[in-house]
Amino acid sequence: MKACIFPILLFLLGALMLPAHLSAQKFPNLDKSSLDIASFPKRGANKVVRVTYSRPFKNDREIFGGKVKYGKVWRLGANEASEITFYKDVTIDGQSIKAGTYALFAIPNETEWTIIFNSRLNQWGAFTYKEKHDVARVTASVSTADEILENFSISFDKNSGGATMYFGWDLTIAALPMKF
């Protein structure tokens, strides 16, 4: 009987001595601003443009002119600077932008926004933004939404000759037509 108990005890002792790190792995909490992707066209293999960005919440805050200052460079979202990939050359506000990936920033104002395409990728926020890396600056028109948009969002609609990219948050919508 003792011969049968010894292997069982040895197995149990070994199991208790497994490295603690196997069960102690810690995972970070979920981001408060979820990562999202907007693209045009939305479906299919022939994408023209894709934007990767984080979606902060309004949370009863004053957004434009408050949390997001007028006249200051903003990362168009939260966390890392948003990034836009053009899979073909595009024309925006009369400026040609080559296919490629760019950091995407804005300088919001009450009646129009300056949208910035910057060649430096992997930036956290706008803290290391440098104008000397700008590839293009274009103007987006601003309108007022019918209802509050709780999360910052980016979407696309088809237009003649291309698409319009929309940036919306709170009661503000900025529209940026592009041709391709």
Side-chain angles (χ1 to χ4, degrees):
M1 183 76 175
K2 286 184 181 180
C4 290
I5 293 177
F6 183 72
I8 293 171
L9 289 175
L10 189 60
F11 172 77
L12 290 173
L13 183 61
L16 291 172
M17 296 178 71
L18 282 173
H21 73 278
L22 290 179
S23 63
Q25 179 62 45
K26 301 285 185 204
F27 290 94
N29 292 329
L30 294 176
D31 270 338
K32 301 274 189 235
S33 300
S34 61
L35 190 63
D36 204 351
I37 294 175
S39 62
F40 184 83
K42 190 172 184 93
R43 292 181 178 82
N46 296 321
K47 298 272 184 268
V48 177
V49 59
R50 182 184 71 195
V51 181
T52 305
Y53 66 104
S54 289
R55 301 182 65 195
F57 285 84
K58 176 176 169 40
N59 285 339
D60 294 323
R61 300 177 289 186
E62 179 185 355
I63 299 301
F64 296 105
K67 177 73 177 155
V68 178
K69 305 292 184 222
Y70 287 130
K72 302 281 185 192
V73 175
W74 174 50
R75 61 185 144 195
L76 274 169
N79 304 326
E80 291 187 22
S82 297
E83 291 186 356
I84 188 166
T85 300
F86 294 114
Y87 296 100
K88 58 170 51 174
D89 296 351
V90 299
T91 301
I92 302 174
D93 200 22
Q95 294 187 52
S96 294
I97 301 174
K98 297 281 184 201
T101 302
Y102 305 95
L104 188 59
F105 297 96
I107 302 173
N109 286 298
E110 291 181 58
T111 58
E112 65 182 23
W113 289 8
T114 299
I115 305 298
I116 303 167
F117 300 89
N118 187 276
S119 64
R120 263 190 78 233
L121 301 176
N122 301 313
Q123 298 183 60
W124 181 261
F127 303 109
T128 59
Y129 165 80
K130 300 266 188 284
E131 187 175 345
K132 69 181 180 182
H133 299 291
D134 289 356
V135 173
R137 284 180 169 224
V138 297
T139 302
S141 61
V142 172
S143 62
T144 301
D146 294 334
E147 58 186 51
I148 290 175
L149 186 59
E150 180 64 26
N151 286 86
F152 173 71
S153 296
I154 298 175
S155 67
F156 292 90
D157 275 337
K158 185 176 183 170
N159 68 28
S160 61
T164 299
M165 181 167 43
Y166 294 97
F167 310 95
W169 197 14
D170 195 3
L171 288 171
T172 301
I173 299 172
L176 187 66
M178 56 184 68
K179 296 181 184 207
F180 32 83

